[in-house]
Amino acid sequence: RFLVGSASTLRPPLCAKMPEEGTTPIAPTTPSAPNLDAEDGCGEEVEATTTDGPTSYKEVPREELIKHLKKTACTTLVDGDYVFPNVLKNCGPAEVGRITSSVGIQLYFEMLYGLGWTFLVMFILTIPMLVCCISGTMVDGVEGLNKVLAMTSIANIGRCPDDGCDSQDAIEKRCMWDGNCDLEGDEKIRDWATWLGLLDSIALLAFMAFGVIFKNVRIPQVVKKFDAATVTPADYTVDVLGLPRELGGDCKSEEHKQYEAKLREHFVKILRNLQQDPVLDADDSCIAKISFVREFNGAVADFMDKGVQLQALHNAKMMKLKISYKQKDEKKKEKKLAKQDKVIEKLNKTIDKYDLKLKGEASNIDVERAVCRAFVTFRTIEMNYKVQNEYRFSRFAMFRCCQNEALKFEKKPLCVQQAVEPNDLYWENLDFNQYKRVARKLVITLVTIIVLILCSVGLVGAKSVFAASAAQDPHYDTWIVQSVSVTTDGKVKKDDQCFRVCDWELLESCDRVGAKNSDDFPAEKLFDPKSDYKGPIDAAGKYWNQSSTALTTTGCWESPGCSDKGADHDDQDWIGITFNTSRQIKCMNIWQYGGSAASELRLWACPSINVPQKTEIRSSWKPEDGCVAHQVMEATTTVNNLIQYTASTSWLAVVKDTSCPANISYTRAETAKEQNWKSTYDCYCQQEVTKNPKLATPPYNTPEKMMCEQWAIEQAKQIGALVFSVVSVLVINQILLFLFTMFVDFLRPQTVTEYTTVQLLMLFISQFINTSLLILLVNSRFPNIPSVLQIITQPLSIGKGEYYEMTGTWFSIIGASLIITVVVQVFSNTLPQILMARLVNPLVRSLSIWMGGAVTKETLEMIYELPEWNISLRVAQTFNVVCTIVFYSSGMPILYIAGAIYCTVGYWIDKYGLLRGSRRPPAYNQKVIEMCMHFIPFAAVLHACLACFLFGNQILFPSEFNDTLVGFAESWVGITQADAAAAQSNWLTASSSERDSESIYVPYIQARWLDFARMGCFFLMLIFVIGVVYYVLYYLYIGLFQPLLSPVVSGIRELFAKFCCKDLCKKRAQVAEHEAEWATTEKDLEGKGYAFSYLMKDNDKYRGAHNAIEHSSKAELARRGTAMGALGVKSSPKLEGSPSGLKAAIAPAAFSGEAAKSVTPTAPNDNEEDREADPSAISPPRIVDVGEVKLNTNA
């Protein structure tokens, strides 16, 4: 159908007829191009009169191509025209399933719809928790969007009293609404913890209930309604497995050639035995069609590739003809024709290679191939159901061993089951050995784990490249605080007020408890513009104390402007501290004198070497000369009347200021560059680039450009690192998709549904690891990891983070980024479909047509076909987002509303992308969505585990122990309440290096596991334990007991159906008794453009493979005919006509030589009429040895 042959290569055309009787069959010298609209592929669209191919060219009307586009898209046939559905009106999941003839697609949209409502219910249930979180004031250390998002997390719940939470006891006893609540009242978090934990447990149970109901109730309901409303070939067809591979002991035996007749007779006998209704006429006509899957030894894929080359060759020849007709310039014509001849020559060589590779398979014909399985199509649906019911136990090996003799075929037990849809088959894998497939699964599982580890290493490495090049967090030994104010135009100016500091704390962490501050850091000195203060450190280890020489009689440090207001003390309202070692400061707290409290402060950081040591020089020195500026902090304060100073109501975040508030001159920039004041130098270049964007680009030929050349190179490196990081992530994701596609192909799945399910699982695992797990594991700190596990954790940087717990800082940085990631995926996962359907694909189509490379109808139709809708990728992306939301939602309940939005947006955009921008998908069955339901308990167990850690954390969510469960938890964990309290106390007072020691870390982790038994999370602990037990029993059943117990379970179900549900088959038959017969349904399906046959040639995907098989077979027959003609053997008229006639009359011959030494032909002892009337009357063929040539003389 796809290619015109060439006499030069002895490649016969697909539409060539065999010679008349008495002539020698050779490759035709006048090939004809196929009429692609004709049923047999032979017509007069292109006339041929030479041996070089077609000699006339005909344009394919665009209307036909548009019609083909609509026919292959998700359209319905209305009055002879294919119409796209209205996505917004009367197009629910059921209608989508009807249009696509796919119950799997319908269930996907049903699932999105149900998940959206489930997330909405979960959000409503956790509104009290969200209100409590938003009402709190515990999140410090961040500003902007990160702070807003962190305020919706559990880290923000509760309020501290006015004098702060300065101990663990104060943290645990803090109040819910008012920081100064009555200690005996019921407003403390402890009193609310049980109910808030219970609401989270109910929300989780609602999510699990959706999974259970959808899997066990909704999916069967939808499948049943779909089967009743949609008639497909699978409703008439059974899949027969376990057939004998050959009959008569040899595939070339006459008995084996009668395989179809014998199998037909077998099922007719079964129907006769089942005949109870006289209306049921169990004769030969009750079997409408039998389609065999035969042994090709894995060559179908090669035949598919050959079919593509044949199609390309046909297109190349038509292109050559088009050039001859359309090109008027002789020189250009000659050049283009020569180029096209090279293309044709190359394609011919490629096809010759395939012919050589497929020579062994091409020498066989279908009736002589071994049988792998069969698809038996019955005349009515009722017959199909009756046969399935009779073989209902055949899918179990245990029951097949004792199968009734009447059900066996040629004394071999059969496995008969419901057939999948025709376009759900992977023909290239149907003949693959089952045991080899199992072995390949084991290999692919191991390789997939290795690939996931390597890709995770790549992702971590790509992100670390950008992190290494990006600006680092403050990490200096000298820190300066300055009083500033901001004018209405946004510029910073110095404060006119007196600046008095009574106490000042710099903290390495913004966590309320356990954060190390400047009172604990060894310091060298305090200093201001005019003095150095080296006061003694008190017994408590505090540097800032009442005996310090920096303090006045009021107990506070005063800026020079306080004592001499008339003098010019510009830029002198600051005080600094120098530590013995560099420190990474994240938060600050400051106490000011009540009468002159500055509302706005700026922190500066720099190496001590950048600060002048001599006071006479420092008096004119400015912090912006060599120090890094941080964002202005609004120090909202309350007055403490007892000690006459004000304290910040919340800790102030230390965030680097990238806006460069000071105006840097060229002269100061030169000094900064000489003195290595990097921050001042960078600010100058940033200001200059704002004025002149070309400053950062070469050539560097002006003083300003030469000054900033080094800065420009560093900026280019940072941008390159960012681009590399982003591109690396995209490339790694594409590599994963490509590798997983290869892995699934290597597994040789037998159906598109199986292929999709395996690919979906791989994509989901990779995406969930990269999105949810890596971000948690990489930022967590796990000391004392066993050396065996370090093989994996070391390259992935797992356990090397800075967070031992999910603290307030974790939610401010990591948690906020997770929320942003989920919100971004709402659109990044869905909008590309719209862009592909409405923008990219039309552009690609127009470009392909403009380039003019496609001229035949087949190639043009391929260009006009819409792309496939990738259900495996979309389901994987959806469940990645769903599981991520459920995993982290206990600490961030705002994620539930993000999940509801994602499902809503995905529902509508996916529906639009499928129905208006994709071609009709394969008929996926319900197994794709059934497999996804296993992700729901997995996500629920993860949620319960993480929620227990969060709700058991007494700093985040204080609550009492549950008296009933604590005893069980103590025996399970191996630690008592008293020991746990001591372990947590030791942990809070330990330094970072001490926390990494086994003596501190291990008891602390045990204490944290004991916290699972607290009132705030004991419901969740029960869910977690039940979930763990469920998975242990489930995998034990799957791995060990399923082969033994599944037949028993099936038998119990059969008894239940028999006594409680009466006759299930009878009910199904009653539904189907008024259905049309197969002949009518087949014509209806074919007219609508749906899959209608289990034959390879009727499957659009494999039509090229079928044509390539026919092409190879005819080429082999031509060579045989040549040899037979040389030996004087006449060919039978039976050779003419369709390929089926050829297959029925000719047996293969294996040629290993070129000449025949002798031959003794024998004439057939039957005539053509007898052969047509009774195929069994044909006498057995005689094989005559002619040296190295063996010929079937009957043929």
Side-chain angles (χ1 to χ4, degrees):
R1 170 173 283 191
F2 288 166
L3 182 64
V4 176
S6 171
S8 60
T9 59
L10 289 180
R11 185 173 290 113
L14 301 183
C15 306
K17 292 185 178 182
M18 298 302 292
E20 297 294 334
E21 184 177 0
T23 65
T24 301
I26 60 174
T29 58
T30 57
S32 59
N35 180 353
L36 301 173
D37 293 328
E39 182 178 351
D40 59 356
C42 302
E44 298 178 354
E45 180 179 311
V46 179
E47 308 231 344
T49 57
T50 70
T51 61
D52 294 328
T55 58
S56 62
Y57 172 73
K58 180 180 179 182
E59 293 281 355
V60 180
R62 187 173 182 273
E63 292 74 15
E64 292 186 16
L65 299 174
I66 295 297
K67 183 178 181 180
H68 176 78
L69 182 150
K70 292 182 177 181
K71 184 177 180 180
T72 56
C74 299
T75 54
T76 54
L77 186 62
V78 179
D79 297 332
D81 187 22
Y82 295 95
V83 180
F84 284 100
N86 188 334
V87 178
L88 300 178
K89 185 178 180 181
N90 299 326
C91 194
E95 180 67 10
V96 174
R98 184 193 66 81
I99 294 172
T100 60
S101 292
S102 172
V103 70
I105 298 291
Q106 177 179 344
L107 286 170
Y108 169 72
F109 287 100
E110 294 263 4
M111 180 192 68
L112 274 182
Y113 184 82
L115 278 174
W117 281 105
T118 302
F119 276 131
L120 184 60
V121 170
M122 296 172 77
F123 174 72
I124 293 173
L125 288 172
T126 54
I127 283 179
M129 171 70 84
L130 185 60
V131 171
C132 292
C133 294
I134 296 175
S135 302
T137 59
M138 300 301 292
V139 170
D140 296 313
V142 289
E143 298 294 340
L145 180 61
N146 281 47
K147 183 170 184 177
V148 172
L149 296 177
M151 287 176 62
T152 65
S153 71
I154 191 176
N156 196 49
I157 194 169
R159 292 171 177 263
C160 284
D162 292 343
D163 55 352
C165 297
D166 54 358
S167 66
Q168 182 178 2
D169 185 65
I171 287 287
E172 293 181 8
K173 292 181 179 180
R174 69 184 186 272
C175 302
M176 180 68 76
W177 312 111
D178 183 6
N180 298 312
C181 66
D182 183 7
L183 296 179
E184 301 300 327
D186 58 353
E187 295 183 4
K188 294 188 291 295
I189 296 178
R190 291 176 180 271
D191 304 316
W192 289 73
T194 303
W195 300 106
L196 294 177
L198 178 60
L199 286 175
D200 186 81
S201 303
I202 294 174
L204 183 61
L205 290 174
F207 178 72
M208 298 172 66
F210 165 78
V212 172
I213 295 173
F214 193 84
K215 179 182 178 182
N216 298 288
V217 178
R218 186 56 183 167
I219 289 180
Q221 285 180 351
V222 171
V223 172
K224 184 177 179 180
K225 290 182 180 179
F226 183 87
D227 288 341
T230 307
V231 180
T232 64
D235 293 326
Y236 294 85
T237 307
V238 294
D239 185 5
V240 184
L241 302 171
L243 290 166
R245 292 179 61 82
E246 64 272 334
L247 300 181
D250 186 9
C251 291
K252 299 185 183 298
S253 66
E254 191 64 29
E255 186 178 358
H256 184 78
K257 295 177 182 179
Q258 306 302 319
Y259 208 120
E260 180 177 350
K262 288 181 175 293
L263 188 61
R264 181 184 297 271
E265 182 182 357
H266 171 76
F267 280 103
V268 168
K269 287 181 180 179
I270 291 175
L271 286 172
R272 285 173 180 166
N273 294 335
L274 295 174
Q275 183 175 351
Q276 298 175 356
D277 188 347
V279 177
L280 180 61
D281 184 16
D283 55 13
D284 287 346
S285 64
C286 67
I287 310 297
K289 187 182 297 184
I290 297 180
S291 305
F292 286 100
V293 176
R294 297 186 180 269
E295 181 63 72
F296 279 88
N297 294 311
V300 174
D302 292 327
F303 279 116
M304 291 175 65
D305 294 337
K306 180 183 175 181
V308 172
Q309 300 300 320
L310 292 174
Q311 185 175 354
L313 183 58
H314 182 206
N315 185 76
K317 291 185 176 182
M318 292 295 292
M319 187 67 189
K320 182 178 178 180
L321 192 61
K322 179 181 178 180
I323 294 171
S324 300
Y325 280 0
K326 297 249 178 176
Q327 184 58 252
K328 304 302 181 183
D329 191 323
E330 292 298 329
K331 291 184 178 180
K332 290 184 179 181
K333 179 189 292 187
E334 183 178 356
K335 185 177 179 180
K336 290 183 178 182
L337 289 176
K339 183 178 178 180
Q340 204 65 24
D341 285 335
K342 291 181 179 180
V343 173
I344 294 173
E345 182 181 1
K346 185 177 179 180
L347 288 170
N348 277 322
K349 290 180 179 179
T350 303
I351 295 171
D352 289 337
K353 291 180 181 179
Y354 277 109
D355 287 338
L356 183 62
K357 182 179 180 180
L358 298 170
K359 183 177 180 180
E361 290 301 320
S363 63
N364 297 324
I365 58 177
D366 273 0
V367 293
E368 294 178 350
R369 298 183 187 274
V371 173
C372 300
R373 66 203 294 178
F375 295 97
V376 180
T377 303
F378 295 93
R379 189 177 67 207
T380 65
I381 297 178
E382 181 184 5
M383 294 178 180
N384 177 23
Y385 286 162
K386 284 183 176 293
V387 171
Q388 284 190 55
N389 186 65
E390 190 69 9
Y391 279 97
R392 59 190 179 279
F393 295 117
S394 65
R395 59 192 180 95
F396 301 110
M398 180 185 299
F399 292 148
R400 285 200 300 271
C401 295
C402 51
Q403 194 173 78
N404 191 312
E405 291 296 328
L407 300 179
K408 294 181 179 179
F409 177 70
E410 297 293 322
K411 299 183 179 180
K412 189 170 182 180
L414 300 180
C415 175
V416 178
Q417 59 190 13
Q418 175 70 47
V420 299
E421 299 299 336
N423 59 356
D424 196 22
L425 292 173
Y426 266 121
W427 277 92
E428 62 266 41
N429 300 334
L430 294 181
D431 59 347
F432 194 72
N433 185 275
Q434 179 181 358
Y435 300 103
K436 290 182 180 179
R437 185 177 289 110
V438 173
R440 291 191 175 204
K441 283 184 179 180
L442 298 176
V443 173
I444 287 299
T445 301
L446 178 62
V447 174
T448 301
I449 294 174
I450 296 174
V451 168
L452 286 175
I453 294 174
L454 293 177
C455 288
S456 299
V457 171
L459 287 172
V460 173
K463 293 177 181 178
S464 64
V465 168
F466 171 68
S469 64
Q472 299 297 315
D473 289 334
H475 209 126
Y476 303 99
D477 63 349
T478 298
W479 295 82
I480 298 171
V481 63
Q482 184 181 37
S483 173
V484 298
S485 62
V486 182
T487 61
T488 55
D489 59 357
K491 296 182 179 179
V492 177
K493 71 175 184 178
K494 302 299 175 286
D495 203 328
D496 295 331
Q497 295 181 353
C498 172
F499 184 37
R500 290 188 177 95
V501 179
C502 303
D503 200 355
W504 181 29
E505 289 182 350
L506 299 171
L507 301 102
E508 289 187 328
S509 171
C510 295
D511 298 327
R512 291 281 179 174
V513 178
K516 302 297 181 182
N517 59 56
S518 53
D519 291 340
D520 305 315
F521 303 155
E524 290 186 355
K525 64 178 179 179
L526 285 170
F527 62 92
D528 61 21
K530 292 188 176 182
S531 304
D532 291 335
Y533 306 104
K534 297 184 178 180
I537 299 177
D538 64 8
K542 295 184 177 182
Y543 186 85
W544 192 283
N545 56 74
Q546 297 298 321
S547 60
S548 173
T549 57
L551 305 183
T552 64
T553 55
T554 61
C556 303
W557 169 86
E558 293 182 350
S559 65
C562 296
S563 58
D564 190 4
K565 295 186 178 180
D568 184 9
H569 297 288
D570 189 24
D571 298 327
Q572 293 187 0
D573 48 354
W574 56 262
I575 185 171
I577 187 170
T578 299
F579 300 112
N580 289 354
T581 58
S582 297
R583 298 289 176 179
Q584 186 177 14
I585 302 303
K586 294 185 177 180
C587 264
M588 184 184 84
N589 203 1
I590 192 167
W591 287 259
Q592 302 180 59
Y593 188 69
S596 58
S599 60
E600 293 167 336
L601 306 173
R602 182 185 293 282
L603 195 66
W604 301 83
C606 55
S608 58
I609 193 174
N610 289 0
V611 181
Q613 300 301 311
K614 296 181 179 181
T615 55
E616 57 268 20
I617 300 176
R618 195 166 64 224
S619 60
S620 61
W621 177 82
K622 301 178 180 179
E624 52 262 37
D625 291 339
C627 291
V628 176
H630 292 77
Q631 293 180 5
V632 173
M633 296 176 262
E634 296 183 3
T636 305
T637 58
T638 58
V639 177
N640 187 319
N641 295 323
L642 297 178
I643 53 178
Q644 296 298 315
Y645 65 73
T646 62
S648 301
T649 54
S650 61
W651 290 355
L652 306 176
V654 176
V655 182
K656 184 178 178 180
D657 191 347
T658 58
S659 64
C660 293
N663 187 19
I664 311 297
S665 66
Y666 181 83
T667 304
R668 287 182 63 194
E670 282 186 318
T671 305
K673 190 173 183 180
E674 292 173 359
Q675 299 293 330
N676 197 25
W677 297 346
K678 188 175 184 303
S679 59
T680 305
Y681 171 70
D682 290 348
C683 281
Y684 169 78
C685 293
Q686 288 182 35
Q687 292 172 355
E688 292 301 316
V689 166
T690 304
K691 300 174 185 176
N692 179 18
K694 295 182 179 180
L695 183 75
T697 59
Y700 301 101
N701 51 8
T702 65
E704 292 79 8
K705 280 193 170 187
M706 288 187 288
M707 172 69 72
C708 295
E709 179 179 0
Q710 182 180 353
W711 175 85
I713 294 174
E714 291 180 358
Q715 293 298 309
K717 289 181 179 179
Q718 289 188 20
I719 295 174
L722 174 61
V723 173
F724 173 78
S725 176
V726 173
V727 172
S728 296
V729 172
L730 296 175
V731 170
I732 289 174
N733 287 335
Q734 291 301 314
I735 290 174
L736 279 175
L737 183 60
F738 173 74
L739 289 177
F740 289 160
T741 302
M742 289 181 57
F743 293 168
V744 178
D745 289 336
F746 181 76
L747 288 175
R748 307 293 292 271
Q750 296 186 338
T751 64
V752 178
T753 299
E754 183 184 354
Y755 183 100
T756 302
T757 301
V758 177
Q759 188 181 52
L760 184 159
L761 181 61
M762 290 182 174
L763 290 172
F764 166 76
I765 292 174
S766 64
Q767 292 184 4
F768 185 71
I769 289 175
N770 295 334
T771 304
S772 301
L773 295 184
L774 270 184
I775 194 173
L776 176 64
L777 299 177
V778 169
N779 289 283
S780 299
R781 188 167 186 83
F782 303 129
N784 306 312
I785 297 177
S787 56
V788 177
L789 297 179
Q790 288 183 10
I791 300 174
I792 299 176
T793 61
Q794 194 75 18
L796 291 175
S797 300
I798 291 177
K800 295 182 179 180
E802 57 179 302
Y803 301 102
Y804 295 94
E805 288 267 13
M806 296 175 70
T807 61
T809 307
W810 189 97
F811 282 101
S812 300
I813 300 174
I814 312 302
S817 67
L818 265 173
I819 296 176
I820 294 172
T821 299
V822 170
V823 173
V824 168
Q825 290 192 2
V826 171
F827 303 99
S828 64
N829 289 349
T830 54
L831 289 181
Q833 299 179 71
I834 304 299
L835 295 177
M836 290 294 293
R838 310 304 298 179
L839 181 63
V840 177
N841 290 324
L843 287 177
V844 171
R845 186 184 307 129
S846 301
L847 181 62
S848 301
I849 296 173
W850 177 78
M851 292 175 65
V855 290
T856 61
K857 187 176 181 180
E858 289 83 2
T859 52
L860 287 170
E861 285 178 345
M862 290 175 61
I863 292 174
Y864 270 81
E865 284 181 0
L866 296 172
E868 282 191 27
W869 190 71
N870 195 336
I871 186 175
S872 60
L873 180 61
R874 283 299 300 122
V875 175
Q877 290 174 337
T878 297
F879 269 92
N880 172 45
V881 173
V882 168
C883 292
T884 300
I885 288 172
V886 175
F887 185 21
Y888 290 102
S889 56
S890 58
M892 297 176 286
I894 192 68
L895 284 172
Y896 286 134
I897 196 65
I901 294 173
Y902 179 91
C903 292
T904 303
V905 173
Y907 176 85
W908 288 104
I909 293 184
D910 282 348
K911 188 162 63 171
Y912 182 87
L914 171 66
L915 298 180
R916 302 303 296 268
S918 303
R919 65 172 174 261
R920 185 178 290 110
Y924 299 108
N925 58 37
Q926 67 274 18
K927 291 182 180 179
V928 175
I929 307 303
E930 284 178 345
M931 192 272 288
C932 295
M933 293 298 103
H934 292 287
F935 300 153
I936 288 181
F938 166 74
V941 171
L942 289 180
H943 174 102
C945 181
L946 189 62
C948 287
F949 269 106
L950 290 174
F951 292 176
N953 189 331
Q954 296 307 288
I955 295 176
L956 295 179
F957 200 71
S959 63
E960 302 292 344
F961 276 106
N962 183 282
D963 297 332
T964 304
L965 295 177
V966 69
F968 165 75
E970 286 179 338
S971 60
W972 177 47
V973 177
I975 191 173
T976 63
Q977 293 185 51
D979 293 339
Q984 294 195 19
S985 178
N986 293 336
W987 173 268
L988 292 174
T989 57
S991 63
S992 297
S993 58
E994 292 173 341
R995 288 180 175 182
D996 288 344
S997 64
E998 186 175 353
S999 60
I1000 298 293
Y1001 183 75
V1002 173
Y1004 176 72
I1005 291 300
Q1006 288 181 304
R1008 293 293 291 111
W1009 279 102
L1010 184 64
D1011 287 335
F1012 278 32
R1014 291 189 178 270
M1015 292 297 296
C1017 56
F1018 79 95
F1019 292 109
L1020 291 160
M1021 189 194 77
L1022 294 176
I1023 296 174
F1024 173 69
V1025 172
I1026 293 172
V1028 171
V1029 172
Y1030 163 78
Y1031 271 108
V1032 170
L1033 296 178
Y1034 175 78
Y1035 285 110
L1036 282 175
Y1037 173 76
I1038 294 295
L1040 298 177
F1041 304 116
Q1042 187 180 35
L1044 298 176
L1045 295 180
S1046 54
V1048 178
V1049 173
S1050 178
I1052 295 174
R1053 287 180 178 176
E1054 176 69 18
L1055 291 175
F1056 179 80
K1058 182 176 182 180
F1059 293 104
C1060 300
C1061 302
K1062 306 303 180 184
D1063 189 357
L1064 181 61
C1065 178
K1066 183 177 179 180
K1067 288 187 175 182
R1068 298 177 69 182
Q1070 289 175 351
V1071 175
E1073 63 182 354
H1074 300 296
E1075 296 289 349
E1077 294 189 354
W1078 168 244
T1080 304
T1081 303
E1082 183 180 26
K1083 292 181 180 179
D1084 182 58
L1085 292 172
E1086 185 177 8
K1088 293 179 179 179
Y1090 294 105
F1092 64 92
S1093 171
Y1094 286 89
L1095 296 176
M1096 187 188 296
K1097 67 178 182 179
D1098 295 325
N1099 190 317
D1100 291 337
K1101 180 180 178 181
Y1102 297 100
R1103 187 171 291 120
H1106 169 77
N1107 292 334
I1109 293 171
E1110 293 292 313
H1111 179 273
S1112 298
S1113 298
K1114 290 179 179 179
E1116 180 66 20
L1117 291 175
R1119 286 191 288 270
R1120 292 185 197 178
T1122 303
M1124 293 167 63
L1127 297 173
V1129 180
K1130 294 183 179 181
S1131 63
S1132 170
K1134 206 60 167 166
L1135 295 177
E1136 293 192 14
S1138 65
S1140 59
L1142 297 172
K1143 295 176 184 177
I1146 300 180
F1151 288 79
S1152 58
E1154 296 182 358
K1157 297 180 181 179
S1158 63
V1159 62
T1160 307
T1162 59
N1165 59 0
D1166 57 336
N1167 55 44
E1168 296 297 329
E1169 294 180 358
D1170 294 337
R1171 191 174 304 181
E1172 292 182 1
D1174 185 9
S1176 62
I1178 303 176
S1179 60
R1182 292 184 57 192
I1183 303 300
V1184 184
D1185 190 353
V1186 286
E1188 294 181 344
V1189 182
K1190 291 185 178 179
L1191 295 177
N1192 184 325
T1193 55
N1194 263 9

